[in-house]
Amino acid sequence: MRILLAAINAKYIHSNLAVYSLKAYVRAEEEIQIAEYTINQQVNDILMDLYKKKPDVLCLSCYIWNRMYVQEIVHEIKKIMPQLIIWLGGPEVSYDSKRVLEELSKVTGVMKGEGEETFLELVRHYKGAPKTLADISGITFRDEAGNIVENPWRPVMDLSLVPFVYEDMEKFEHKIIYYESSRGCPFSCSYCLSSVDKSLRFRDMELVKRELQFFLDKKVPQVKFVDRTFNCKHEHAKEIWRYILEHDNGVTNFHFEIAADLLTEEEIALLQQMRPGLVQLEIGIQSTNRQTIKEICRTMDIEKVSQVVKEIHKNRNIHVHLDLIAGLPYEDYNSFCQSFNDVYAMEPDQLQLGFLKVLSGTDMLSKTAEYGLVFHDTPPYEVLFTDWLSYQDIIVLKGVEEMVEIYYNSAQFSASIKRLQPYFKTPFGMYYALAEFYRDQGFEEK
């Protein structure tokens, strides 16, 4: 029985931590293969490669960026491999698994949520173990009569039981290394799938240190922590930051997603000691509108965030990436302009202007009628308009987003932007004017 775990990534430099964790957890079981592709490849090329691998069971990892691509592969591969058993997993299919099976008649089942133990039981099932699909927690499946059966979700596992997946670094040459030291999130942001998993767990610190040292010894260019709020447990964050400070190899960069207002003076002092390039921080601010922040169930002290970012910037040794989301409740055009100006004033190294994605399983989806929230039916389910923000507003903000990417985030026009800024009342006004100039000159069509 040949079982293949397939990942379709957004870019070649990405790797899929999930499929490697599933295979590593199965450990001694044989005939588990991994295949990684990208959405930039032709579907036919992937079909040919999958056919050559001759799997009996194909497990596909699904995210908003590859859902439609996976759907096409599922539809086409059953034509050439009609006996193939197909399973899907990942956040894009976990929270509406029944609907997924209703829409994709060629799929046998969906692994819901955390997958290591579920996948192990599925492997044993297909290798002849007596446990039936009806006995396996954490799946929704199609029985022999074609009926869709939803089994209970599986309780979360001890994160320290997941094996380290990077022993063979040749597989990950020229790719970003993703690493998790915790799972779950303590917060309840209404737009975020991480808020669904309240079982916050941490990997054993001695394991973490050994694994970080492995990356340092191998001089890996970048390790990107996928912990949803890395610094939600102070001792955990401080111990990891101390370790990478004390064992810095002069090469490796570590990326963390944090909540800035949770940082303590001790943690800020620790970060200020880092070599330039050792650490980069991503901070999701999303909005500075207090009513919006309250409505989306975020807990954030905006004044403290601003002060903390200023402190982090003092030594100019930490790359800071700040995020905004357009389309949130109670955020109209003028309010978003203010949020933009507030965040721009914090002088981030990168400012990401994103647009709300309305994801299955989130509280945001349940309030679409209340917010007059209209969004694309297909992935990535991006907002079209709300009671506060029109589609015309969205078009304007898309133009501003493009100008921010070209002139700010590229870091190629820093001096020009500083010279240009005094001619405009606000930073947003400057990027708006640039977008209008692009439109008037027809540059956006080229």
Side-chain angles (χ1 to χ4, degrees):
M1 177 65 69
R2 294 183 179 179
I3 299 174
L4 176 65
L5 290 160
I8 301 171
N9 303 320
K11 297 179 181 178
Y12 172 77
I13 60 168
H14 296 170
S15 59
N16 187 296
L17 178 58
V19 295
Y20 287 98
S21 294
L22 295 185
K23 180 177 179 179
Y25 194 74
V26 172
R27 293 181 185 273
E29 304 284 352
E30 298 178 357
E31 295 188 86
I32 307 295
Q33 294 179 287
I34 288 178
E36 288 192 278
Y37 309 100
T38 79
I39 58 175
N40 300 310
Q41 292 177 255
Q42 294 294 319
V43 168
N44 199 46
D45 292 338
I46 295 178
L47 289 175
M48 287 191 288
D49 191 65
L50 291 173
Y51 181 81
K52 291 173 185 177
K53 294 182 186 302
K54 298 290 190 233
D56 300 297
V57 180
L58 174 63
C59 304
L60 290 157
S61 184
C62 300
Y63 300 85
I64 56 174
W65 64 81
N66 72 6
R67 167 66 183 274
M68 303 308 292
Y69 202 98
V70 167
Q71 190 167 312
E72 184 177 356
I73 287 173
V74 166
H75 181 73
E76 302 299 340
I77 200 166
K78 287 291 280 190
K79 296 176 183 177
I80 55 178
M81 303 178 73
Q83 303 306 313
L84 182 65
I85 299 167
I86 300 176
W87 282 82
L88 305 181
E92 174 58 17
V93 295
S94 287
Y95 300 97
D96 59 350
S97 56
K98 183 178 180 182
R99 182 172 66 84
V100 169
L101 293 183
E102 289 171 346
E103 292 178 355
L104 302 179
S105 61
K106 309 297 184 184
V107 175
T108 297
V110 172
M111 287 182 276
K112 301 183 290 189
E114 193 172 58
E116 284 87 355
E117 292 183 339
T118 301
F119 180 64
L120 177 58
E121 291 193 10
L122 280 175
V123 169
R124 290 173 175 170
H125 165 75
Y126 284 115
K127 289 182 176 290
K131 186 174 275 192
T132 68
L133 293 181
D135 299 322
I136 299 176
S137 297
I139 64 172
T140 299
F141 68 99
R142 202 184 309 277
D143 66 17
E144 293 181 1
N147 301 310
I148 295 174
V149 181
E150 293 188 82
N151 287 359
W153 282 68
R154 182 179 296 276
V156 297
M157 66 182 293
D158 180 350
L159 187 56
S160 298
L161 296 178
V162 178
F164 186 59
V165 305
Y166 293 111
E167 299 293 354
D168 182 4
M169 287 301 298
E170 287 186 11
K171 298 176 184 176
F172 304 97
E173 193 173 357
H174 307 305
K175 294 195 174 186
I176 298 171
I177 299 300
Y178 296 97
Y179 181 78
E180 60 179 347
S181 69
S182 67
R183 279 184 187 172
C185 183
F187 302 114
S188 303
C189 304
S190 64
Y191 56 85
C192 182
L193 275 177
S194 298
S195 65
V196 177
D197 184 359
K198 291 299 176 192
S199 302
L200 184 58
R201 297 143 281 154
F202 295 87
R203 194 163 175 82
D204 177 77
M205 186 54 67
E206 292 310 308
L207 269 180
V208 172
K209 289 179 179 178
R210 286 203 300 270
E211 291 159 1
L212 293 181
Q213 191 58 52
F214 176 87
F215 295 138
L216 291 163
D217 291 342
K218 295 290 184 180
K219 294 191 175 180
V220 171
Q222 184 180 57
V223 177
K224 194 165 186 177
F225 277 67
V226 295
D227 304 42
R228 300 312 302 157
T229 307
F230 174 76
N231 62 323
C232 62
K233 184 179 179 182
H234 294 293
E235 289 308 315
H236 179 84
K238 284 190 294 185
E239 197 160 354
I240 289 175
W241 282 337
R242 281 196 203 100
Y243 190 87
I244 64 175
L245 173 62
E246 293 168 1
H247 297 81
D248 179 19
N249 62 10
V251 174
T252 304
N253 165 266
F254 294 90
H255 176 105
F256 302 93
E257 187 172 333
I258 69 163
D261 53 334
L262 294 184
L263 285 177
T264 64
E265 290 184 7
E266 182 183 1
E267 289 164 344
I268 294 171
L270 189 60
L271 290 168
Q272 288 174 336
Q273 298 175 52
M274 303 286 189
R275 160 184 62 85
L278 176 56
V279 163
Q280 63 187 53
L281 303 177
E282 182 172 353
I283 301 168
I285 295 178
Q286 322 312 8
S287 172
T288 62
N289 181 315
R290 296 180 189 279
Q291 188 176 8
T292 297
I293 290 179
K294 181 180 179 181
E295 184 65 21
I296 62 176
C297 304
R298 277 181 71 79
T299 304
M300 183 176 67
D301 183 332
I302 299 167
E303 284 73 22
K304 185 174 181 183
V305 169
S306 179
Q307 184 59 36
V308 164
V309 171
K310 184 178 178 180
E311 287 295 313
I312 292 172
H313 267 319
K314 270 187 178 178
N315 293 347
R316 289 292 169 183
N317 63 322
I318 304 289
H319 178 99
V320 177
H321 177 129
L322 301 183
D323 296 333
L324 279 171
I325 297 178
L328 294 171
Y330 297 103
E331 184 97 272
D332 62 16
Y333 180 81
N334 290 330
S335 168
F336 187 83
C337 293
Q338 186 61 53
S339 289
F340 181 96
N341 292 329
D342 291 340
V343 172
Y344 195 88
M346 299 180 197
E347 300 183 351
D349 296 286
Q350 282 207 314
L351 196 169
Q352 181 175 324
L353 196 173
F355 293 80
L356 178 66
K357 313 294 190 294
V358 186
L359 306 176
S360 293
T362 62
D363 187 52
M364 185 66 68
L365 180 63
S366 68
K367 294 186 176 181
T368 53
E370 179 181 342
Y371 299 150
L373 175 55
V374 177
F375 58 97
H376 285 273
D377 290 332
T378 55
Y381 314 110
E382 192 170 276
V383 62
L384 290 167
F385 59 88
T386 73
D387 278 348
W388 300 274
L389 203 65
S390 70
Y391 184 59
Q392 179 59 40
D393 294 334
I394 292 288
I395 292 174
V396 171
L397 296 182
K398 287 283 185 181
V400 170
E401 176 197 27
E402 184 181 5
M403 295 302 101
V404 170
E405 287 297 316
I406 293 172
Y407 289 102
Y408 190 87
N409 290 341
S410 71
Q412 295 178 1
F413 302 94
S414 300
S416 299
I417 287 296
K418 286 181 180 177
R419 290 289 299 273
L420 190 60
Q421 181 61 69
Y423 292 94
F424 297 90
K425 291 182 179 179
T426 66
F428 184 90
M430 176 176 64
Y431 289 101
Y432 172 85
L434 282 169
E436 288 290 285
F437 177 78
Y438 261 58
R439 187 198 64 186
D440 293 344
Q441 298 298 316
F443 293 162
E444 59 186 12
E445 301 170 3
K446 296 178 181 180

